[in-house]
Amino acid sequence: MDCTVLPMMIVVSLGICQPASSQATNSVYILQSTTIPSAPHPRVKRGWIWNELIVEEEDPILRVIGTLKSDSDNGDFRIKYVLSGEGAGDVFQIDEYTGEISSMKTVDREEKASYILQAQAIDRLTDQPVEPESEFIIKVKDINDNAPYFQNEPYVSSIPEMCPMGTTVVRVTATDADDPLSGNNAKLIYSILQGEPYFSVEPKTGVIVTSWPNMDREAREKYLVVVQVKDMMGLNGGYSATTTVTITLSDVNDNGPTFQHNLYTFTLAESAAPGTTVGRILADDGDIGVNARMNYSLEDLEESSTFRIQTDPVTQEGVILLAKPLDYETKRRFVIAVEAINDHLDTRFLSAYEFSDRTTVKILVEDVDEPPVFSAAVYEWKVPENAVVATQVGSVSARDTDTANNPIKYSIAKGSDMRNLLRIDPNNGTVTVAKPLDRETADWHNFTIAAMETRAGYLSSSVEVFVRVLDVNDNAPQLSRNYHPIICEGTQAGEVIQMMSATDPDDPMGGHHFYFSMVQEKNTNPNFTIRDNQDNTAGILARRSSFSRKDRTQYVLPVVVTDSGSPAMSSTSTLTISVCACQPAGHCPSGGVEAFALSMGLNLQSLMGLLVCLATLAGEKEGCLGGIVGNVV
């Protein structure tokens, strides 16, 4: 064998010569080194020699793992070998005379895969290094001392039912702490221990796929698949681990609704109120969730509007409800066709018509003894207020709708004030006037009439009656208030001295229309006249000028007010008109006081004295009043 000669390097081997780059276990590694310069002229380069250093992990035997040697060592033990770096003196030690390196404790590659150390060769005589410090590596050789383990546990996955073979379910992943580059220690193989023939696993990737066609959720919803992983490529002597994958089949709409019976029968009392639940029916659907949702409908009914159906969102039952009142005497049985259909149709699995089903529902009406029924829900009558006693106001009618058809007795409800004003015939329900009515006292009357069966259960019912009292012109109009008109001394003929209006408690259809006039006299009133404004108001006008208190302080004027009724009614009111010395703005300062004094024959000074006397003491009043009375006389 040829030996490779490296320039400036000395090669020392134990009978073997290989290139420096060789990775064989017995290779000899030559590290180039230089001497430490101690003189102007450099030393000849020398070098380190050692085999590749490898320690096997978990080796319980402490042993020599290799030797470091300087090519300057001639075997006289003059050179001292020193070790430093990772694990020196703890994990590894060196024989300072021979350069042998020994392990001192077991090592674990998974904790540390290699150690970097430094070696020195020192001349014992000079205590100077004969080689420069060099770095070398001790590798820890891997053994299969770790079992694989699964990550990301627990594994849970879901796939749709009826999915095709080969559908990917989930990937399980295991790791091994051993060296993946050293033999087969960390090379993993996956296999199925439980779950066949429905599922299989790809040996190298850990991908689980379906291996059974058309798996049905309704037959089985959950699978527990046990997957095993082995190192050493599955060979004997390796380690293994298992994991369980929970696989659930999710639902698809591959089932339509199905009624379990062709006929459902329910009974319902005829007295049931609209909205009452008649019964519930259910079309079974093997699916769940949105795939089980369905709508119910009523079809081909003889009385389709009497009932309705709706879906209970929780139970998916069809709830049949009463929509209209029942009458046993009219119809005693109903036959209904009901259809149930899925909300969501998936024609990948079924044809469209397979997502629905039909059944028949029979509803029997039970007879109930019912109270009398009035011919109207409410009665409203009109009667004039001048109707005489015994005048008919109206009539009610009720009948027993049961087959017994019991006779009915009528009455006005107890406690009603109308029992004094109206009377009802208990046999035929005719209502008449029992006492004169007055619209001005009450224009509407409402009361309750009861109808009671005279046999069997004596059931009763009632109805509201409203009576409107119509107006009759039976009230005369009156002036709106007590007017006290005044006329100023300077008033000119034609001036309005008072405006008037009228009221009437009657309420004619076209509204009120009042007419104002003076009492008919043989001679025309020379002082005043009344002008009717044709809007239910009138004004009093002066017919002359130069009214004076000296001539006369008061005038009386009868005023006639007539309504437009048929026959018309009227009233006469007498107004007292006082003469006043008015201010420029038309204000009468003394007002009625001065007029009162003049009417009593007093002058203004005497009247004022009278008022002052009323404010004095009781003893003084007597003398004061005596003087005033003397002035009046």
Side-chain angles (χ1 to χ4, degrees):
M1 178 181 293
D2 294 333
C3 294
T4 303
V5 179
L6 300 178
M8 301 300 293
M9 304 183 75
I10 298 175
V11 179
V12 179
S13 66
L14 302 177
I16 300 175
C17 181
Q18 291 181 340
S21 61
S22 174
Q23 299 296 316
T25 303
N26 294 321
S27 298
V28 176
Y29 289 84
I30 303 171
L31 297 181
Q32 181 176 341
S33 64
T34 59
T35 59
I36 298 176
S38 59
H41 301 287
R43 288 181 58 188
V44 177
K45 295 180 180 179
R46 298 184 183 275
W48 284 99
I49 303 173
W50 64 75
N51 293 334
E52 183 180 37
L53 301 180
I54 295 175
V55 61
E56 191 169 276
E57 69 170 328
E58 306 295 343
D59 187 356
I61 301 176
L62 305 181
R63 65 181 70 205
V64 176
I65 61 174
T67 302
L68 300 181
K69 193 174 183 64
S70 170
D71 59 359
S72 299
D73 189 349
N74 56 15
D76 57 1
F77 303 111
R78 180 177 176 178
I79 294 178
K80 178 184 179 180
Y81 294 97
V82 179
L83 189 66
S84 62
E86 296 178 338
D90 177 27
V91 181
F92 304 105
Q93 68 178 3
I94 190 168
D95 188 315
E96 64 178 55
Y97 296 101
T98 64
E100 290 181 339
I101 299 177
S102 302
S103 60
M104 299 176 66
K105 62 171 61 174
T106 59
V107 293
D108 186 356
R109 190 202 67 84
E110 286 69 50
E111 292 183 3
K112 192 169 180 62
S114 63
Y115 295 82
I116 300 175
L117 298 103
Q118 293 79 37
Q120 283 185 306
I122 300 175
D123 190 320
R124 294 179 184 274
L125 298 179
T126 64
D127 201 24
Q128 295 295 320
V130 296
E131 300 289 353
E133 184 179 72
S134 292
E135 183 178 274
F136 66 96
I137 298 175
I138 298 178
K139 293 183 179 179
V140 181
K141 182 180 180 181
D142 184 55
I143 64 171
N144 190 20
D145 61 343
N146 289 277
Y149 67 93
F150 284 95
Q151 298 175 312
N152 305 318
E153 289 184 305
Y155 289 96
V156 178
S157 184
S158 177
I159 57 173
E161 63 173 329
M162 311 302 289
C163 62
M165 291 178 58
T167 299
T168 298
V169 180
V170 69
R171 179 178 181 177
V172 296
T173 304
T175 59
D176 193 315
D178 292 323
D179 188 357
L181 302 178
S182 178
N184 295 325
N185 292 346
K187 292 184 179 179
L188 308 179
I189 294 294
Y190 299 91
S191 61
I192 292 281
L193 295 183
Q194 175 183 309
E196 294 178 331
Y198 304 103
F199 300 95
S200 61
V201 64
E202 207 288 322
K204 293 184 178 180
T205 64
V207 175
I208 300 174
V209 298
T210 58
S211 56
W212 191 268
N214 301 326
M215 286 188 289
D216 189 2
R217 185 201 65 83
E218 289 72 42
R220 182 177 178 182
E221 183 177 6
K222 184 180 291 185
Y223 296 81
L224 299 179
V225 177
V226 179
V227 179
Q228 182 185 63
V229 62
K230 280 187 173 183
D231 59 13
M232 298 290 292
M233 294 292 291
L235 299 175
N236 292 333
Y239 291 98
S240 65
T242 60
T243 188
T244 300
V245 182
T246 302
I247 303 174
T248 303
L249 299 183
S250 60
D251 189 59
V252 300
N253 196 7
D254 58 343
N255 293 277
T258 303
F259 287 105
Q260 298 302 308
H261 304 284
N262 294 325
L263 176 65
Y264 295 83
T265 302
F266 302 101
T267 59
L268 188 65
E270 65 171 327
S271 59
T276 300
T277 298
V278 179
R280 290 171 172 256
I281 60 175
L282 176 64
D284 291 333
D285 192 319
D287 299 317
I288 58 175
V290 64
N291 297 319
R293 293 180 186 171
M294 64 189 77
N295 284 321
Y296 295 86
S297 60
L298 307 180
E299 294 185 355
D300 303 326
L301 302 184
E302 300 172 4
E303 293 286 345
S304 59
S305 60
T306 304
F307 302 93
R308 60 186 179 89
I309 191 169
Q310 64 186 30
T311 303
D312 186 319
V314 177
T315 65
Q316 293 302 306
E317 293 174 300
V319 183
I320 302 174
L321 303 172
L322 180 64
K324 289 183 177 180
L326 299 173
D327 185 9
Y328 173 83
E329 288 69 34
T330 302
K331 189 172 181 64
R332 305 181 182 184
R333 188 184 72 167
F334 297 86
V335 178
I336 305 172
V338 181
E339 182 180 43
I341 184 170
N342 277 146
D343 279 353
H344 172 66
L345 310 184
D346 194 338
T347 54
R348 293 178 302 169
F349 307 104
L350 299 175
S351 58
Y353 72 87
E354 292 180 283
F355 288 102
S356 64
D357 195 21
R358 294 166 63 89
T359 190
T360 301
V361 174
K362 181 189 296 184
I363 300 174
L364 304 177
V365 182
E366 293 180 335
D367 188 27
V368 175
D369 189 9
E370 298 173 296
V373 177
F374 283 93
S375 59
V378 64
Y379 291 91
E380 184 175 328
W381 301 325
K382 298 177 182 179
V383 60
E385 64 177 323
N386 62 350
V388 299
V389 174
T391 298
Q392 181 174 331
V393 179
S395 179
V396 298
S397 176
R399 67 182 184 89
D400 181 10
T401 58
D402 297 318
T403 54
N405 194 19
N406 293 316
I408 303 298
K409 181 180 180 181
Y410 302 94
S411 62
I412 296 178
K414 295 180 179 180
S416 172
D417 57 357
M418 295 305 297
R419 292 166 66 93
N420 298 324
L421 296 177
L422 302 175
R423 181 178 293 109
I424 188 170
D425 188 312
N427 298 314
N428 59 25
T430 300
V431 178
T432 57
V433 176
K435 187 178 180 180
L437 305 173
D438 183 12
R439 189 203 67 83
E440 286 70 44
T441 301
D443 56 351
W444 279 94
H445 298 280
N446 65 290
F447 56 98
T448 301
I449 293 179
M452 177 181 290
E453 297 176 359
T454 59
R455 299 176 187 170
Y458 298 96
L459 298 178
S460 66
S461 59
S462 60
V463 69
E464 289 291 322
V465 178
F466 297 88
V467 177
R468 181 182 180 186
V469 182
L470 302 177
D471 184 57
V472 173
N473 193 28
D474 56 351
N475 292 277
Q478 303 288 336
L479 290 178
S480 300
R481 58 185 179 86
N482 294 326
Y483 292 99
H484 302 285
I486 63 171
I487 184 169
C488 296
E489 290 183 322
T491 299
Q492 301 297 313
E495 288 187 23
V496 177
I497 64 172
Q498 180 69 59
M499 290 295 296
M500 300 177 296
S501 62
T503 60
D504 191 327
D506 292 323
D507 186 20
M509 292 291 294
H512 288 293
H513 191 98
F514 301 125
Y515 303 94
F516 298 85
S517 62
M518 300 173 63
V519 176
Q520 296 295 329
E521 297 179 352
K522 296 181 179 180
N523 300 318
T524 302
N525 190 318
N527 300 310
F528 305 98
T529 186
I530 295 177
R531 182 174 66 192
D532 193 326
N533 297 323
Q534 299 299 312
D535 60 358
N536 291 338
T537 66
I540 301 175
L541 284 67
R543 291 183 63 102
R544 64 181 179 84
S545 304
S546 11
F547 284 90
S548 174
R549 290 176 299 165
K550 295 180 180 180
D551 297 335
R552 188 170 179 178
T553 60
Q554 291 181 334
Y555 296 87
V556 292
L557 180 66
V559 177
V560 179
V561 184
T562 306
D563 62 22
S564 57
S566 179
M569 299 192 72
S570 63
S571 67
T572 301
S573 300
T574 301
L575 304 183
T576 300
I577 303 174
S578 302
V579 181
C580 177
C582 301
Q583 298 294 335
H587 177 62
C588 183
S590 56
V593 175
E594 184 179 4
F596 172 71
L598 292 174
S599 66
M600 296 179 61
L602 300 173
N603 57 26
L604 185 59
Q605 290 77 9
S606 299
L607 180 61
M608 294 304 294
L610 175 61
L611 295 177
V612 171
C613 287
L614 293 176
T616 60
L617 298 173
E620 297 175 349
K621 287 181 181 179
E622 183 177 355
C624 181
L625 290 174
I628 293 174
V629 172
N631 291 334
V632 174
V633 176

